[in-house]
Amino acid sequence: MLFDLPDDATLYAALLARDPAWDGRAFVGVSSTGVFCRLTCPARKPKPENCTFYASPAACFDAGFRPCKRCYPLHSLIPDDPAVQDLLTRLDADPAKRWSETEVVALGHDPSTIRRAFKRTFGTTFLDMARARRLQMGFTTLAAGGQVIDAQLEAGFESASAFRAAFGRMLGLNPGAFSPDALLRADWFQTALGPMIGVADQTHLHLLEFADRKALPAELKRLVKATPTGIGLGRTAPLAQAKSELEAFFEGRSADFKTPMAPAGTPFTKSVWDALQLIPAGQTRSYSDLARDLGKPDSTRAVARANGANQIAILIPCHRVLGADGSLTGYGGGLWRKRKLIDLERQFQ
Protein backbone atom coordinates (compact mmCIF):
# COMPACT_ATOMS: atom_id res chain seq x y z
CA MET A 1 0.00 0.00 0.00
CA LEU A 2 3.02 2.28 0.20
CA PHE A 3 4.14 2.00 -3.43
CA ASP A 4 3.52 4.21 -6.46
CA LEU A 5 1.47 2.19 -8.89
CA PRO A 6 2.57 1.77 -12.51
CA ASP A 7 0.22 2.33 -15.44
CA ASP A 8 -2.98 0.32 -15.80
CA ALA A 9 -1.60 -1.73 -18.68
CA THR A 10 1.21 -3.05 -16.51
CA LEU A 11 -1.14 -3.87 -13.67
CA TYR A 12 -3.67 -5.54 -15.97
CA ALA A 13 -0.88 -7.72 -17.35
CA ALA A 14 0.05 -8.62 -13.75
CA LEU A 15 -3.60 -9.46 -13.08
CA LEU A 16 -3.75 -11.79 -16.10
CA ALA A 17 -0.47 -13.44 -15.02
CA ARG A 18 -1.58 -13.57 -11.34
CA ASP A 19 1.80 -12.10 -10.48
CA PRO A 20 2.50 -12.64 -6.74
CA ALA A 21 4.97 -9.73 -6.72
CA TRP A 22 1.99 -7.36 -6.46
CA ASP A 23 0.27 -9.16 -3.60
CA GLY A 24 -0.55 -6.58 -0.94
CA ARG A 25 0.81 -3.74 -3.10
CA ALA A 26 -2.00 -3.34 -5.62
CA PHE A 27 -5.69 -4.23 -5.75
CA VAL A 28 -8.23 -4.26 -8.56
CA GLY A 29 -11.80 -3.01 -8.27
CA VAL A 30 -14.12 -4.70 -10.74
CA SER A 31 -17.08 -2.51 -11.70
CA SER A 32 -19.09 -5.40 -13.18
CA THR A 33 -19.15 -7.31 -9.86
CA GLY A 34 -18.64 -4.55 -7.25
CA VAL A 35 -15.79 -6.42 -5.55
CA PHE A 36 -12.07 -5.77 -5.19
CA CYS A 37 -9.43 -8.47 -5.41
CA ARG A 38 -5.76 -9.27 -5.17
CA LEU A 39 -4.05 -9.41 -8.53
CA THR A 40 -3.52 -13.12 -7.83
CA CYS A 41 -7.25 -13.82 -7.50
CA PRO A 42 -8.20 -17.16 -9.14
CA ALA A 43 -11.57 -15.84 -10.32
CA ARG A 44 -12.31 -15.34 -14.01
CA LYS A 45 -10.45 -12.28 -15.24
CA PRO A 46 -12.54 -9.17 -15.92
CA LYS A 47 -12.33 -7.04 -19.05
CA PRO A 48 -9.82 -4.21 -18.79
CA GLU A 49 -12.55 -1.57 -19.12
CA ASN A 50 -14.14 -2.92 -15.92
CA CYS A 51 -10.92 -2.65 -13.89
CA THR A 52 -9.70 0.16 -11.67
CA PHE A 53 -6.47 -0.31 -9.75
CA TYR A 54 -5.84 0.92 -6.21
CA ALA A 55 -2.88 0.97 -3.85
CA SER A 56 -4.80 0.04 -0.70
CA PRO A 57 -7.97 -1.69 0.52
CA ALA A 58 -9.03 1.61 2.07
CA ALA A 59 -9.13 3.20 -1.39
CA CYS A 60 -11.20 0.27 -2.65
CA PHE A 61 -13.68 0.63 0.22
CA ASP A 62 -13.95 4.36 -0.42
CA ALA A 63 -14.70 3.68 -4.10
CA GLY A 64 -17.60 1.45 -3.07
CA PHE A 65 -16.08 -2.00 -3.59
CA ARG A 66 -16.42 -4.91 -1.15
CA PRO A 67 -13.75 -7.59 -0.51
CA CYS A 68 -13.72 -10.63 -2.79
CA LYS A 69 -14.72 -13.87 -1.06
CA ARG A 70 -12.39 -15.95 -3.21
CA CYS A 71 -9.04 -14.22 -2.71
CA TYR A 72 -9.71 -12.33 0.56
CA PRO A 73 -7.65 -9.22 -0.29
CA LEU A 74 -7.44 -8.02 3.32
CA HIS A 75 -5.45 -11.11 4.23
CA SER A 76 -2.55 -10.00 2.06
CA LEU A 77 -1.71 -7.38 4.67
CA ILE A 78 -1.26 -9.68 7.66
CA PRO A 79 1.38 -12.19 8.74
CA ASP A 80 1.00 -15.76 7.50
CA ASP A 81 -0.46 -17.07 10.75
CA PRO A 82 -2.81 -19.99 9.95
CA ALA A 83 -5.04 -19.38 12.97
CA VAL A 84 -5.40 -15.67 12.23
CA GLN A 85 -6.04 -16.41 8.56
CA ASP A 86 -8.68 -18.99 9.46
CA LEU A 87 -10.64 -16.68 11.72
CA LEU A 88 -10.42 -13.73 9.34
CA THR A 89 -11.67 -15.93 6.51
CA ARG A 90 -14.66 -16.94 8.62
CA LEU A 91 -15.27 -13.33 9.64
CA ASP A 92 -15.19 -12.18 6.00
CA ALA A 93 -17.61 -14.94 5.03
CA ASP A 94 -20.14 -13.96 7.70
CA PRO A 95 -19.42 -10.51 9.22
CA ALA A 96 -22.80 -10.50 11.00
CA LYS A 97 -22.03 -13.68 12.98
CA ARG A 98 -21.99 -13.37 16.77
CA TRP A 99 -18.72 -14.97 17.84
CA SER A 100 -17.94 -16.34 21.30
CA GLU A 101 -14.77 -17.75 22.84
CA THR A 102 -16.48 -21.15 22.99
CA GLU A 103 -16.84 -21.15 19.20
CA VAL A 104 -13.19 -20.21 18.78
CA VAL A 105 -12.19 -23.16 20.98
CA ALA A 106 -14.52 -25.49 19.03
CA LEU A 107 -12.50 -24.69 15.90
CA GLY A 108 -9.36 -26.03 17.59
CA HIS A 109 -7.80 -22.67 18.47
CA ASP A 110 -6.37 -21.87 21.89
CA PRO A 111 -8.15 -18.68 23.03
CA SER A 112 -5.14 -17.16 24.79
CA THR A 113 -2.95 -17.76 21.74
CA ILE A 114 -5.57 -16.18 19.50
CA ARG A 115 -5.87 -13.16 21.77
CA ARG A 116 -2.11 -12.61 21.70
CA ALA A 117 -1.88 -13.12 17.92
CA PHE A 118 -4.64 -10.62 17.15
CA LYS A 119 -3.38 -8.10 19.69
CA ARG A 120 0.12 -8.38 18.25
CA THR A 121 -1.05 -7.98 14.65
CA PHE A 122 -4.02 -5.63 14.94
CA GLY A 123 -3.92 -4.20 18.44
CA THR A 124 -7.32 -5.72 19.25
CA THR A 125 -8.78 -9.15 19.97
CA PHE A 126 -10.65 -11.27 17.45
CA LEU A 127 -13.89 -11.00 19.42
CA ASP A 128 -13.59 -7.21 19.60
CA MET A 129 -12.80 -7.06 15.88
CA ALA A 130 -15.87 -9.17 15.07
CA ARG A 131 -18.05 -6.97 17.27
CA ALA A 132 -16.70 -3.84 15.58
CA ARG A 133 -17.42 -5.29 12.13
CA ARG A 134 -21.03 -5.95 13.12
CA LEU A 135 -21.46 -2.49 14.59
CA GLN A 136 -19.91 -0.89 11.52
CA MET A 137 -22.59 -2.55 9.40
CA GLY A 138 -25.24 -1.03 11.64
CA PHE A 139 -23.56 2.39 11.65
CA THR A 140 -23.48 2.39 7.83
CA THR A 141 -27.20 1.60 7.71
CA LEU A 142 -28.00 4.44 10.12
CA ALA A 143 -25.81 6.89 8.20
CA ALA A 144 -27.70 6.02 5.01
CA GLY A 145 -30.97 7.01 6.68
CA GLY A 146 -32.08 3.56 7.81
CA GLN A 147 -34.12 2.92 10.93
CA VAL A 148 -32.60 1.54 14.13
CA ILE A 149 -34.37 -1.78 13.54
CA ASP A 150 -32.78 -2.01 10.08
CA ALA A 151 -29.34 -1.26 11.55
CA GLN A 152 -29.91 -3.84 14.28
CA LEU A 153 -30.76 -6.56 11.77
CA GLU A 154 -27.92 -5.59 9.43
CA ALA A 155 -25.48 -5.85 12.35
CA GLY A 156 -26.78 -9.30 13.26
CA PHE A 157 -28.26 -8.47 16.68
CA GLU A 158 -31.32 -10.42 17.76
CA SER A 159 -32.75 -7.62 19.91
CA ALA A 160 -32.86 -3.86 19.72
CA SER A 161 -31.74 -3.57 23.35
CA ALA A 162 -28.59 -5.66 22.69
CA PHE A 163 -27.76 -3.56 19.63
CA ARG A 164 -28.25 -0.29 21.49
CA ALA A 165 -26.14 -1.54 24.40
CA ALA A 166 -23.27 -2.65 22.13
CA PHE A 167 -23.45 0.56 20.11
CA GLY A 168 -23.45 2.59 23.31
CA ARG A 169 -20.44 0.75 24.77
CA MET A 170 -18.40 1.32 21.65
CA LEU A 171 -19.35 4.94 20.87
CA GLY A 172 -20.76 6.11 24.17
CA LEU A 173 -24.01 7.09 22.39
CA ASN A 174 -27.10 5.05 21.67
CA PRO A 175 -28.32 5.03 18.03
CA GLY A 176 -31.27 7.23 18.97
CA ALA A 177 -28.93 9.90 20.38
CA PHE A 178 -27.92 11.00 16.88
CA SER A 179 -30.04 13.98 15.86
CA PRO A 180 -31.28 14.49 12.27
CA ASP A 181 -31.05 18.28 12.75
CA ALA A 182 -27.55 18.39 14.26
CA LEU A 183 -24.90 20.78 12.97
CA LEU A 184 -22.17 18.26 13.78
CA ARG A 185 -22.10 15.09 11.67
CA ALA A 186 -20.33 11.80 12.38
CA ASP A 187 -19.03 9.41 9.74
CA TRP A 188 -17.30 6.01 9.93
CA PHE A 189 -14.80 5.09 7.23
CA GLN A 190 -12.09 2.54 6.59
CA THR A 191 -8.35 3.23 6.58
CA ALA A 192 -5.33 1.01 6.14
CA LEU A 193 -4.99 0.87 9.95
CA GLY A 194 -8.63 0.20 10.73
CA PRO A 195 -11.92 2.12 10.85
CA MET A 196 -12.00 5.71 12.05
CA ILE A 197 -14.77 7.95 13.34
CA GLY A 198 -14.79 11.57 12.23
CA VAL A 199 -17.02 14.41 13.47
CA ALA A 200 -17.30 17.73 11.67
CA ASP A 201 -19.65 20.60 10.97
CA GLN A 202 -19.96 22.16 7.53
CA THR A 203 -16.65 24.02 7.82
CA HIS A 204 -14.31 22.32 10.32
CA LEU A 205 -13.24 18.91 11.61
CA HIS A 206 -13.74 18.51 15.37
CA LEU A 207 -12.75 14.88 16.00
CA LEU A 208 -10.96 12.06 14.19
CA GLU A 209 -10.23 8.87 16.12
CA PHE A 210 -9.73 5.17 15.52
CA ALA A 211 -13.03 3.45 16.27
CA ASP A 212 -11.48 1.20 18.93
CA ARG A 213 -9.88 4.04 20.93
CA LYS A 214 -10.97 3.62 24.54
CA ALA A 215 -11.40 7.36 25.04
CA LEU A 216 -13.76 7.76 22.06
CA PRO A 217 -17.06 7.35 23.99
CA ALA A 218 -16.07 10.06 26.47
CA GLU A 219 -14.89 12.35 23.66
CA LEU A 220 -18.18 11.97 21.78
CA LYS A 221 -20.18 12.65 24.93
CA ARG A 222 -18.22 15.87 25.51
CA LEU A 223 -19.00 17.00 21.97
CA VAL A 224 -22.71 16.26 22.44
CA LYS A 225 -22.75 18.16 25.73
CA ALA A 226 -20.97 21.16 24.18
CA THR A 227 -23.21 21.31 21.10
CA PRO A 228 -26.86 22.37 21.57
CA THR A 229 -28.04 20.41 18.52
CA GLY A 230 -25.99 17.29 19.34
CA ILE A 231 -24.44 15.04 16.69
CA GLY A 232 -26.05 13.56 13.59
CA LEU A 233 -24.89 11.04 11.03
CA GLY A 234 -23.59 11.88 7.59
CA ARG A 235 -20.66 13.37 5.73
CA THR A 236 -19.74 17.03 5.47
CA ALA A 237 -17.11 18.70 3.29
CA PRO A 238 -14.37 18.58 5.99
CA LEU A 239 -15.01 14.86 6.54
CA ALA A 240 -14.79 14.19 2.81
CA GLN A 241 -11.54 16.20 2.63
CA ALA A 242 -10.06 14.36 5.62
CA LYS A 243 -10.92 11.00 4.01
CA SER A 244 -9.29 12.04 0.76
CA GLU A 245 -6.14 13.29 2.49
CA LEU A 246 -5.88 10.14 4.61
CA GLU A 247 -6.19 8.00 1.48
CA ALA A 248 -3.30 9.92 -0.12
CA PHE A 249 -1.33 9.58 3.11
CA PHE A 250 -1.72 5.82 3.45
CA GLU A 251 -0.96 5.32 -0.23
CA GLY A 252 2.32 7.21 0.24
CA ARG A 253 1.35 10.10 -2.04
CA SER A 254 1.17 12.99 0.42
CA ALA A 255 1.47 13.86 4.10
CA ASP A 256 0.16 17.38 3.55
CA PHE A 257 -3.06 17.86 5.53
CA LYS A 258 -5.12 20.95 4.82
CA THR A 259 -8.50 19.97 6.28
CA PRO A 260 -9.71 22.90 8.44
CA MET A 261 -9.83 21.83 12.08
CA ALA A 262 -11.41 23.19 15.25
CA PRO A 263 -10.23 21.02 18.17
CA ALA A 264 -11.54 21.99 21.60
CA GLY A 265 -8.93 22.73 24.23
CA THR A 266 -7.25 25.31 26.45
CA PRO A 267 -4.90 27.89 24.90
CA PHE A 268 -1.89 25.90 26.17
CA THR A 269 -3.24 22.62 24.81
CA LYS A 270 -3.90 24.22 21.44
CA SER A 271 -0.37 25.62 21.38
CA VAL A 272 0.98 22.07 21.82
CA TRP A 273 -1.23 20.81 19.01
CA ASP A 274 -0.02 23.65 16.78
CA ALA A 275 3.58 22.65 17.57
CA LEU A 276 2.83 19.03 16.67
CA GLN A 277 1.73 20.12 13.21
CA LEU A 278 5.12 21.78 12.67
CA ILE A 279 6.96 18.44 13.00
CA PRO A 280 7.71 17.33 9.43
CA ALA A 281 6.48 13.91 8.35
CA GLY A 282 9.28 11.40 8.79
CA GLN A 283 10.71 13.16 11.83
CA THR A 284 10.05 12.76 15.55
CA ARG A 285 10.42 14.85 18.69
CA SER A 286 10.49 14.15 22.41
CA TYR A 287 8.13 15.78 24.89
CA SER A 288 11.01 17.80 26.29
CA ASP A 289 11.85 18.99 22.75
CA LEU A 290 8.30 20.27 22.35
CA ALA A 291 8.41 21.98 25.74
CA ARG A 292 11.61 23.79 24.77
CA ASP A 293 10.18 24.75 21.37
CA LEU A 294 7.22 26.32 23.20
CA GLY A 295 9.59 28.29 25.45
CA LYS A 296 8.46 26.30 28.52
CA PRO A 297 11.25 23.79 29.21
CA ASP A 298 9.80 22.91 32.63
CA SER A 299 6.42 21.92 31.18
CA THR A 300 7.32 18.49 29.81
CA ARG A 301 4.56 16.71 31.74
CA ALA A 302 1.95 19.28 30.71
CA VAL A 303 3.03 18.87 27.10
CA ALA A 304 2.66 15.10 27.44
CA ARG A 305 -0.87 15.51 28.83
CA ALA A 306 -1.81 17.85 25.99
CA ASN A 307 -0.39 15.38 23.50
CA GLY A 308 -2.54 12.61 24.98
CA ALA A 309 -5.64 14.82 24.89
CA ASN A 310 -5.44 15.25 21.10
CA GLN A 311 -8.76 14.27 19.51
CA ILE A 312 -7.74 14.56 15.86
CA ALA A 313 -5.46 11.60 15.11
CA ILE A 314 -2.87 11.67 12.31
CA LEU A 315 -3.83 15.15 11.04
CA ILE A 316 -2.55 16.51 14.36
CA PRO A 317 0.43 14.12 14.48
CA CYS A 318 0.82 13.23 18.16
CA HIS A 319 2.28 9.90 16.95
CA ARG A 320 5.48 11.76 16.04
CA VAL A 321 6.38 12.26 19.72
CA LEU A 322 8.64 9.70 21.41
CA GLY A 323 10.09 9.22 24.87
CA ALA A 324 13.31 10.99 25.81
CA ASP A 325 15.24 7.79 25.09
CA GLY A 326 13.65 7.40 21.67
CA SER A 327 11.24 4.66 22.77
CA LEU A 328 7.60 4.46 21.73
CA THR A 329 5.31 5.87 24.40
CA GLY A 330 1.55 5.77 24.93
CA TYR A 331 -0.68 6.31 21.92
CA GLY A 332 -4.48 6.28 22.06
CA GLY A 333 -4.73 4.33 18.81
CA GLY A 334 -2.35 1.63 20.09
CA LEU A 335 1.43 1.38 19.97
CA TRP A 336 1.21 -0.96 16.97
CA ARG A 337 -0.44 1.83 14.97
CA LYS A 338 2.10 4.39 16.19
CA ARG A 339 4.91 2.14 14.99
CA LYS A 340 3.28 1.67 11.58
CA LEU A 341 2.64 5.40 11.20
CA ILE A 342 6.25 6.28 11.97
CA ASP A 343 7.49 3.59 9.55
CA LEU A 344 5.10 4.80 6.84
CA GLU A 345 6.23 8.42 7.19
CA ARG A 346 9.89 7.65 6.58
CA GLN A 347 9.18 7.79 2.86
CA PHE A 348 8.15 11.45 3.23
CA GLN A 349 11.52 12.59 4.60
Side-chain angles (χ1 to χ4, degrees):
M1 65 182 175
L2 305 181
F3 298 87
D4 292 329
L5 296 184
D7 58 82
D8 285 359
T10 299
L11 290 172
Y12 188 72
L15 175 66
L16 294 180
R18 294 168 60 177
D19 186 351
W22 289 99
D23 209 22
R25 300 172 58 191
F27 304 84
V28 58
V30 184
S31 58
S32 57
T33 62
V35 304
F36 71 93
C37 307
R38 307 185 192 201
L39 300 196
T40 55
C41 184
R44 182 179 178 181
K45 300 308 176 188
K47 297 179 180 179
E49 59 267 26
N50 292 331
C51 296
T52 306
F53 295 95
Y54 300 93
S56 72
C60 298
F61 279 119
D62 288 346
F65 295 102
R66 61 186 186 277
C68 173
K69 291 187 177 181
R70 292 196 64 181
C71 67
Y72 297 103
L74 297 180
H75 293 213
S76 64
L77 303 178
I78 65 175
D80 189 19
D81 184 319
V84 173
Q85 293 278 0
D86 175 53
L87 290 173
L88 282 181
T89 298
R90 294 175 187 275
L91 182 58
D92 286 337
D94 187 5
K97 177 179 172 62
R98 299 182 64 185
W99 282 90
S100 68
E101 190 168 277
T102 301
E103 291 172 307
V104 172
V105 172
L107 293 172
H109 301 307
D110 176 68
S112 61
T113 301
I114 290 297
R115 280 195 296 271
R116 287 195 298 270
F118 271 81
K119 289 286 285 186
R120 182 171 58 250
T121 306
F122 301 105
T124 188
T125 68
F126 171 69
L127 296 181
D128 285 342
M129 177 183 288
R131 187 178 301 111
R133 288 280 292 272
R134 291 164 59 210
L135 287 174
Q136 183 178 0
M137 294 167 66
F139 189 99
T140 302
T141 299
L142 290 171
Q147 299 297 314
V148 173
I149 183 62
D150 299 322
Q152 168 205 323
L153 295 174
E154 182 68 21
F157 284 81
E158 296 178 357
S159 70
S161 60
F163 174 63
R164 292 176 187 275
F167 199 97
R169 282 194 300 272
M170 185 168 190
L171 299 182
L173 299 172
N174 289 322
F178 291 96
S179 169
D181 302 318
L183 295 177
L184 290 178
R185 295 285 165 170
D187 193 24
W188 179 318
F189 49 87
Q190 288 286 345
T191 75
L193 293 183
M196 299 188 78
I197 296 283
V199 177
D201 56 24
Q202 296 298 321
T203 59
H204 290 80
L205 182 69
H206 293 260
L207 179 145
L208 181 67
E209 295 280 27
F210 288 101
D212 56 3
R213 174 169 163 79
K214 295 187 185 306
L216 178 60
E219 292 173 350
L220 287 172
K221 285 181 179 178
R222 282 196 293 269
L223 276 178
V224 170
K225 186 176 181 179
T227 309
T229 58
I231 296 178
L233 298 174
R235 185 171 303 171
T236 64
L239 285 169
Q241 183 175 348
K243 278 193 62 177
S244 177
E245 291 178 348
L246 284 171
E247 178 180 319
F249 173 76
F250 282 114
E251 291 177 359
R253 294 186 281 113
S254 173
D256 189 15
F257 300 114
K258 297 186 179 299
T259 300
M261 297 179 288
T266 66
F268 175 78
T269 301
K270 290 181 178 180
S271 72
V272 174
W273 295 340
D274 288 340
L276 290 173
Q277 294 174 72
L278 297 177
I279 304 173
Q283 297 184 25
T284 58
R285 299 286 189 274
S286 67
Y287 297 113
S288 56
D289 289 335
L290 282 179
R292 284 193 295 271
D293 290 344
L294 290 168
K296 299 182 178 181
D298 297 327
S299 300
T300 299
R301 289 187 177 180
V303 166
R305 287 194 296 270
N307 195 74
N310 174 32
Q311 297 182 27
I312 300 182
I314 302 180
L315 275 63
I316 297 179
C318 54
H319 60 273
R320 294 176 189 163
V321 183
L322 305 178
D325 60 355
S327 62
L328 293 178
T329 54
Y331 182 62
L335 290 182
W336 70 277
R337 285 194 177 105
K338 184 170 186 173
R339 183 179 298 107
K340 287 181 179 294
L341 287 168
I342 291 173
D343 288 344
L344 185 154
E345 290 186 344
R346 287 173 180 159
Q347 66 186 308
F348 295 117
Q349 286 183 310

